[in-house]
Amino acid sequence: MQVSQSNGSFKQPLFSVDAVLFSIVDSKLSVLLVDRAIAPYKGCWALPGGYVDVDIDTCTDSTARRKLKEKTGVEPPYLEQLQSFSGADRDPRGYSVTLAYYALVGYQLVSSNVHTVDDAKWWDIASLADLNLAFDHQLIIESALHRVQQKSLYSMLPVYCLAKQFTIAQLKLAIEIIIGKSIQRKSLIRRIEASDMFELMDQKIASGGRLAQVYQLKENVDLISFERNFSR
Amino acid sequence: MQVSQSNGSFKQPLFSVDAVLFSIVDSKLSVLLVDRAIAPYKGCWALPGGYVDVDIDTCTDSTARRKLKEKTGVEPPYLEQLQSFSGADRDPRGYSVTLAYYALVGYQLVSSNVHTVDDAKWWDIASLADLNLAFDHQLIIESALHRVQQKSLYSMLPVYCLAKQFTIAQLKLAIEIIIGKSIQRKSLIRRIEASDMFELMDQKIASGGRLAQVYQLKENVDLISFERNFSR
DNA sequence: TTATATAGTGTCTTAATGACACAAATATAG
DNA sequence: CTATATTTGTGTCATTAAGACACTATATAA
């Protein structure tokens, strides 16, 4: 037991940060889970996460980034707050609040990294139903998945699952894997032009047929939102 | 000082919940602020909020609801998590995390309530720039405002600023006040029909000309999202 | 050289919103 | 009581971005 800051009268809930890291592995949308080494839920798969280190983390974003880097060796190119989950029963140690983040990363970026630890593993979305996840992490993942799917309908979010340089076909496939339906190549091209987020590289890449134009994200661009969703 | 639960090794940040309550007062989008009775920021205007009471609040939503009811006497018909704000410097008492909510309520619902306390006051959005708000509450309000405006472009969110029964003209005005631009009456009518969220009342209401049809929300409906935004 | 595969373009269709005129119904002024 | 102004509600054409899909361009492979 340890003395913590007081708020004057109430017990504080235990506060933690968790992250749902998405990537596309073998053409399947997947999340990174870690094998819990300690109780509670020892031996269960869980989201990467932990406590804020007030001496290191400038804010909770830093905590999420730090925890993801510990497990993957890299900082994900996209990270955003999802929402918090709280209650007396979600953790057997007592009343708790966890702030969930979601992030996307290109799989080749993670797999090429030598620091990858082996207590972490990618699970494709469909296989999660059979898995007995720690805490309410099943719910958190569902919530994150929903957010990623929605946001992929009106933004270029899925680019963050790709390598730095990519083709239209690769982006199209990433979008289709994430939202679970096919889209029109033409519609995607129109959005790429309208968004002004990408630059054409001089390079072209072989793909079995005509060479494909290579694109990459411009420096310091924000994810822009379109006025309409891809139809459902 | 008081002993809190341990997480094994780290100091925990101080955790609180704040809420940005919106309503339309005198045809202006406004937020409810409270006059802080204690340090820090004593005498400053601040968002209603406080600490989770682990014995009362089933989750952080309950905390937000409880705090809003203390200040307005009613529970807002719409409440949603916004995001959390954290860091070592946002509260002079030390590293802190606050989970911000936003909510909407019909002004007549609040003003008609006898329990309204007088340390709380409605401020219209435009007047906030001059005000020196406590903590990072200025930033939180801006963030909540942005969310409410965005969501009002593709949903019927603004109905929650109205009385239980309302006319199309009232809803149109609420939307226009929130998003800051005028919309087509016809477009709104089409959305009302498409959403299937509302029921026509038998009643009609005087409005200076032809009597207006009265609508109200159906029981237990969710806020549905349209595929497009109102154009900007 | 020819077949096949993938990349990119042209263009018609579709669907929801914007614009706006017009009809219906009510209040008010004279 | 009548005329006029005002607000509600409808009809319909224009606009815009996405969907569908054919067609052209350019590569590889047999």
Side-chain angles (χ1 to χ4, degrees), chain A residues 60-91:
Chain A
T60 52
D61 293 23
S62 305
T63 308
R65 237 182 281 276
R66 179 169 58 81
K67 288 293 172 182
L68 287 176
K69 186 157 187 178
E70 284 174 12
K71 297 300 173 188
T72 64
V74 296
E75 300 210 340
Y78 189 86
L79 176 77
E80 191 187 344
Q81 268 192 43
L82 176 63
Q83 63 166 104
S84 76
F85 295 82
S86 57
D89 303 324
R90 54 177 302 280
D91 186 324

Side-chain angles (χ1 to χ4, degrees), chain A residues 67-193:
Chain A
K67 288 293 172 182
L68 287 176
K69 186 157 187 178
E70 284 174 12
K71 297 300 173 188
T72 64
V74 296
E75 300 210 340
Y78 189 86
L79 176 77
E80 191 187 344
Q81 268 192 43
L82 176 63
Q83 63 166 104
S84 76
F85 295 82
S86 57
D89 303 324
R90 54 177 302 280
D91 186 324
R93 290 167 291 188
Y95 204 110
S96 66
V97 175
T98 196
L99 179 58
Y101 281 77
Y102 72 98
L104 283 79
V105 72
Y107 181 64
Q108 71 296 327
L109 197 67
V110 176
S111 62
S112 69
N113 195 289
V114 287
H115 302 101
T116 308
V117 288
D118 57 4
D119 62 341
K121 196 182 154 195
W122 290 98
W123 296 82
D124 92 278
I125 290 298
S127 69
L128 291 180
D130 310 323
L131 217 54
N132 193 11
L133 295 186
F135 308 103
D136 51 1
H137 289 186
Q138 183 88 47
L139 175 65
I140 295 176
I141 293 171
E142 280 164 21
S143 181
L145 174 61
H146 186 252
R147 173 82 69 90
V148 168
Q149 289 179 326
Q150 280 304 307
K151 198 150 184 162
S152 296
L153 290 172
Y154 61 83
S155 78
M156 290 297 188
L157 186 61
V159 285
Y160 296 108
C161 282
L162 302 179
K164 187 166 185 175
Q165 302 201 329
F166 59 90
T167 66
I168 288 179
Q170 288 165 354
L171 178 54
K172 175 170 181 281
L173 187 60
I175 293 171
E176 290 174 337
I177 287 171
I178 291 174
I179 71 176
K181 72 177 290 296
S182 65
I183 60 167
Q184 293 285 323
R185 194 161 29 111
K186 183 71 177 183
S187 298
L188 177 57
I189 292 171
R190 283 190 284 232
R191 284 191 169 195
I192 287 176
E193 287 171 4

Side-chain angles (χ1 to χ4, degrees), chain B residues 168-169 185-186 189-190 204 207-213 228:
Chain B
I168 288 179
R185 194 163 30 114
K186 182 72 177 182
I189 292 170
R190 284 190 285 232
K204 292 190 186 241
S207 58
R210 178 172 166 176
L211 298 186
Q213 178 64 55
R228 300 193 194 179

